[in-house]
Amino acid sequence: MSLDQTATKPHEQLATHLGGGMEAVNTLIRTRMASEHAPRIPEVTAHLVEAGGKRLRPMLTLAAAELCGYDGPYHVNLAAAVEFIHTATLLHDDVVDESGQRRGRPTANLLWDNKSSVLVGDYLLSRSFQLMVETGNLRVLDILANASATIAEGEVLQLTASQDLRTNEAIYLQIVRGKTAALFSAATQVGGVIATAPEDQVQALFDYGDALGIAFQIVDDLLDYQGDSNATGKNVGDDFRERKLTLPVIKAIAAASPEERAFWQRTIEKGRQEDGDLDHAQSLLRKHDTLAATRTDALAWADKAKTAMRCLPEHPLRQMLIDLADYVVARVN
Amino acid sequence: MSLDQTATKPHEQLATHLGGGMEAVNTLIRTRMASEHAPRIPEVTAHLVEAGGKRLRPMLTLAAAELCGYDGPYHVNLAAAVEFIHTATLLHDDVVDESGQRRGRPTANLLWDNKSSVLVGDYLLSRSFQLMVETGNLRVLDILANASATIAEGEVLQLTASQDLRTNEAIYLQIVRGKTAALFSAATQVGGVIATAPEDQVQALFDYGDALGIAFQIVDDLLDYQGDSNATGKNVGDDFRERKLTLPVIKAIAAASPEERAFWQRTIEKGRQEDGDLDHAQSLLRKHDTLAATRTDALAWADKAKTAMRCLPEHPLRQMLIDLADYVVARVN
């Protein structure tokens, strides 16, 4: 891939524009993941933090703050706090999902153990609150504490609802807000709050992050049934094999004949899967055209994100955030 | 047991004195452990919260606040926040220790699963920060975020150090501060801070909680080698079988002959335990008189706690807190 092509990706443009700020965030992350007494903590954290994630969430915080004219130091704290919450979530998720791989590398629970993943996650969550307290801004604490509760609630809900055929689109949305959108919307919102932006802009930043996160997750669900695993790094059918009720399936179940419903009951609810079931599942999604309907939903959420941006001031970052919303759904166009 | 005898226990006296406040704390706990979307959360939390713990930590917060003349509503928030941090820690501990029993009942990870324990713990930790944010007091947020980080750090340290014979009394103290004392000292300190007590009283409240917590944990370690399991609910030798380097053993290792050191290496470091090893371990503790030395340490910490109380105003609660320090070590006298 040439440098030019790389530069056209909105998250790369964001990274370039926010260069100095992101360096400050990375330095702060490295400083605060240290532990005077327990070297296991930075070992486990570094494994994940330095695995080459896109740092999308902290970039959203820096971008929102700069877009609203902030020139203080605390957006860096908030961006690092957001990344610590995200990292803690990943550590705990990998324990919960009994995952062996993340970002193409063995997970921390596999390299060390579940104990380390649980406790280091707790440490990072506490560290994130320390970073927020340093800003002296109670409203950002309120926003991020609420996001953190929504994340955990969404994950618990997913435990109990993801194999229950009664799970409808409203419950799905609740789970997706917990899994993804709550931290996206908090990341953008606190950027506006720390910049003391007008209330309509703060709300618009929340709406942008919320819609972007939902679009992001819906696309992820979609790629699992129709993606090119070379391009996405996901194997087609993983969600089906893991019996996850994602949006294309929820839509297919809503339109299912009694016979089709029995198929979903056997494969998702009871988990008794046989050879050829994935093919049959895909044929049902085609029959009810739910991949197209899901794609329409993703595009609508991306549009919602772009519309929200209209409230924000003219700025090169505003265009990058708009482009980012397009880019997130471009994977399924 | 007659009511009179019950009434002589300092924690019962505290419960009686703080009656209305503790009822408010319990109501707040029940309200905040609810979840609109995920009923699994209150189920898991109730199992632990209603299992009949003594609620010692929230009582310490209420007592400290009242002792310093506080008459606002926020000590109730802080007490509930402290109990949520404690409950989250227990949920995660039981996953880490693969425990099957706590307070004489099956643990949540056994009744539900590790996933629920990890995620509900995360939820309660987030809820505790929401409760603190509502007080509008940044200093209590700072104190409790620091305590929360110290707890996680101490637990990680215990993972790596508890079977390492190089673990000395300084590292032991660090672990104990994480396991127990950090939340005790934060619980008492935030009571003083919310009451805007003078700085020397806030410091004294911290010192009291810190010393009480350390005394409490040392006594726990001691009872594991010399207790009456009917009275303590612990089986003698559990720590030895679980290869935990507790204070009596650390002292015995510091005084060990090469042959004795080899015994500890085999049984604690390598975990190759045979019939009769517990008896031999106990004979080594007797030989070096480390149970008596450990008891002396516990009494010294209890004295430190009582001394700290001298800075606080005359008040029935002050005497109860002094009596509590005596009570904690009375189990080994």
Side-chain angles (χ1 to χ4, degrees):
Chain A
M1 190 182 292
S2 77
L3 275 174
D4 265 344
Q5 277 179 309
T6 307
T8 62
K9 292 188 180 173
H11 58 84
E12 298 282 352
Q13 286 178 17
L14 276 171
T16 303
H17 184 97
L18 301 168
M22 280 307 292
E23 267 179 46
V25 171
N26 289 333
T27 302
L28 189 57
I29 285 174
R30 275 194 297 274
T31 311
R32 298 306 176 86
M33 76 191 197
S35 156
E36 192 188 340
H37 304 290
R40 172 72 55 89
I41 292 175
E43 283 167 28
V44 171
T45 310
H47 173 70
L48 207 61
V49 161
E50 286 161 15
K54 291 193 194 69
R55 298 266 206 282
L56 197 52
R57 293 158 190 80
M59 287 202 295
L60 289 175
T61 301
L62 294 189
E66 187 183 329
L67 190 47
C68 297
Y70 183 63
D71 63 358
Y74 291 129
H75 59 329
V76 172
N77 274 58
L78 294 173
V82 162
E83 186 69 3
F84 272 169
I85 294 176
H86 178 55
T87 310
T89 308
L90 295 184
L91 282 168
H92 287 185
D93 272 3
D94 286 340
V95 172
V96 166
D97 294 342
E98 295 158 18
S99 312
Q101 277 221 338
R102 174 167 304 271
R103 296 174 184 163
R105 304 169 67 191
T107 54
N109 48 314
L110 204 75
L111 281 184
W112 288 274
D113 46 33
N114 280 345
K115 304 173 184 195
S116 299
S117 293
V118 170
L119 297 174
V120 173
D122 291 349
Y123 183 73
L124 294 179
L125 202 54
S126 308
R127 287 301 234 178
S128 82
F129 279 96
Q130 290 178 317
L131 284 163
M132 298 171 217
V133 169
E134 289 167 21
T135 69
N137 187 313
L138 279 161
R139 189 164 171 208
V140 302
L141 274 153
D142 184 42
I143 291 165
L144 285 164
N146 291 345
S148 179
T150 303
I151 292 168
E153 193 178 27
E155 305 252 15
V156 177
L157 187 58
Q158 185 174 20
L159 275 190
T160 52
S162 69
Q163 290 162 7
D164 180 341
L165 292 202
R166 288 168 303 179
T167 295
N168 57 23
E169 294 199 23
I171 298 175
Y172 171 82
L173 209 58
Q174 189 68 35
I175 293 173
V176 167
R177 286 211 156 92
K179 274 176 75 168
T180 313
L183 195 53
F184 273 62
S185 58
T188 44
Q189 193 185 8
V190 296
V193 168
I194 201 73
T196 61
E199 211 44 47
D200 62 330
Q201 293 185 15
V202 170
Q203 181 63 47
L205 285 167
F206 173 90
D207 291 341
Y208 171 83
D210 183 58
L212 183 76
I214 293 170
F216 186 90
Q217 189 61 51
I218 292 178
V219 168
D220 216 54
D221 288 358
L222 204 48
L223 290 176
D224 199 86
Y225 279 98
Q226 64 164 37
D228 165 1
S229 56
N230 289 327
T232 64
K234 288 186 76 169
N235 296 315
V236 167
D238 274 352
D239 285 347
F240 181 75
R241 279 183 289 270
E242 289 166 21
R243 306 162 54 197
K244 284 189 188 158
L245 271 178
T246 60
L247 194 52
V249 176
I250 290 169
K251 286 179 188 290
I253 290 169
S257 69
E259 192 191 345
E260 290 168 10
R261 202 179 160 78
F263 169 79
W264 296 115
Q265 255 159 351
R266 173 173 65 77
T267 54
I268 302 283
E269 239 177 38
K270 305 215 170 88
R272 292 202 306 264
Q273 299 188 2
E274 298 160 7
D275 281 355
D277 278 347
L278 176 60
D279 284 344
H280 187 61
Q282 286 179 305
S283 77
L284 292 179
L285 304 187
R286 275 193 301 273
K287 176 185 169 192
H288 296 293
D289 214 12
T290 69
L291 293 176
T294 301
R295 191 180 306 119
T296 303
D297 286 0
L299 290 169
W301 283 109
D303 268 340
K304 202 168 174 228
K306 286 155 63 181
T307 305
M309 273 294 118
R310 286 197 204 135
C311 277
L312 275 295
E314 272 281 350
H315 193 288
L317 281 169
R318 189 177 77 162
Q319 192 55 48
M320 289 179 207
L321 293 176
I322 290 171
D323 293 346
L324 182 64
D326 279 328
Y327 177 72
V328 158
V329 290
R331 295 188 292 166
V332 295
N333 272 335
Chain B
M1 191 183 287
S2 77
L3 276 174
D4 264 343
Q5 278 177 306
T6 306
T8 61
K9 291 187 181 175
H11 59 86
E12 298 282 354
Q13 287 179 17
L14 277 169
T16 304
H17 183 98
L18 301 167
M22 280 308 292
E23 268 178 47
V25 171
N26 289 333
T27 301
L28 190 58
I29 285 174
R30 275 193 299 273
T31 311
R32 298 307 175 87
M33 77 191 196
S35 155
E36 192 188 340
H37 305 290
R40 171 74 53 90
I41 291 174
E43 284 167 28
V44 171
T45 309
H47 173 70
L48 207 60
V49 160
E50 285 161 14
K54 292 192 194 70
R55 297 268 207 279
L56 197 52
R57 293 160 190 79
M59 287 203 293
L60 289 174
T61 301
L62 294 189
E66 185 182 333
L67 189 48
C68 296
Y70 184 63
D71 63 359
Y74 290 129
H75 59 328
V76 172
N77 274 58
L78 293 173
V82 162
E83 187 70 1
F84 272 169
I85 294 177
H86 178 55
T87 308
T89 308
L90 295 183
L91 282 167
H92 287 185
D93 273 3
D94 285 340
V95 172
V96 167
D97 294 343
E98 294 159 17
S99 312
Q101 279 222 336
R102 171 169 307 271
R103 295 175 184 164
R105 304 170 68 192
T107 54
N109 48 313
L110 204 74
L111 281 184
W112 290 273
D113 45 32
N114 279 345
K115 304 173 185 196
S116 300
S117 293
V118 170
L119 297 174
V120 174
D122 291 350
Y123 183 74
L124 295 179
L125 202 54
S126 308
R127 288 299 235 177
S128 82
F129 279 95
Q130 290 178 316
L131 285 163
M132 297 171 215
V133 169
E134 289 167 20
T135 69
N137 187 312
L138 279 162
R139 189 164 171 208
V140 303
L141 273 153
D142 184 44
I143 291 166
L144 284 164
N146 290 344
S148 180
T150 303
I151 291 168
E153 192 177 28
E155 304 253 14
V156 177
L157 187 59
Q158 187 176 17
L159 275 189
T160 52
S162 69
Q163 289 163 6
D164 181 341
L165 291 203
R166 288 168 304 181
T167 296
N168 57 25
E169 295 198 22
I171 298 174
Y172 171 82
L173 208 57
Q174 190 67 34
I175 293 172
V176 167
R177 285 209 156 93
K179 277 177 74 167
T180 314
L183 195 53
F184 273 62
S185 57
T188 44
Q189 192 185 8
V190 294
V193 167
I194 202 73
T196 60
E199 213 41 50
D200 63 328
Q201 292 184 16
V202 170
Q203 180 64 46
L205 285 167
F206 173 90
D207 291 342
Y208 171 83
D210 182 60
L212 184 76
I214 293 170
F216 186 89
Q217 189 58 52
I218 293 177
V219 168
D220 217 54
D221 288 356
L222 204 48
L223 289 177
D224 199 88
Y225 279 100
Q226 64 163 35
D228 166 359
S229 55
N230 289 326
T232 63
K234 290 186 72 166
N235 296 315
V236 168
D238 274 352
D239 286 347
F240 180 75
R241 278 183 291 269
E242 290 166 20
R243 305 161 56 195
K244 283 189 189 158
L245 272 178
T246 60
L247 195 52
V249 176
I250 289 169
K251 287 179 188 289
I253 290 169
S257 69
E259 192 191 345
E260 291 167 12
R261 201 176 161 78
F263 169 79
W264 295 115
Q265 254 158 353
R266 173 173 65 77
T267 54
I268 302 282
E269 241 177 34
K270 306 216 168 87
R272 294 204 305 265
Q273 299 189 2
E274 299 160 8
D275 281 356
D277 278 347
L278 176 60
D279 285 344
H280 187 60
Q282 287 180 305
S283 78
L284 292 180
L285 303 187
R286 276 194 299 275
K287 176 185 167 193
H288 295 293
D289 215 12
T290 69
L291 294 175
T294 302
R295 190 180 305 118
T296 303
D297 285 0
L299 290 168
W301 284 109
D303 268 339
K304 202 166 173 233
K306 288 156 62 181
T307 304
M309 273 294 119
R310 285 197 204 136
C311 277
L312 276 295
E314 273 282 348
H315 193 287
L317 280 169
R318 187 176 80 162
Q319 191 57 46
M320 289 178 207
L321 292 176
I322 290 171
D323 292 346
L324 182 64
D326 278 330
Y327 177 73
V328 157
V329 290
R331 295 188 291 166
V332 294
N333 274 335

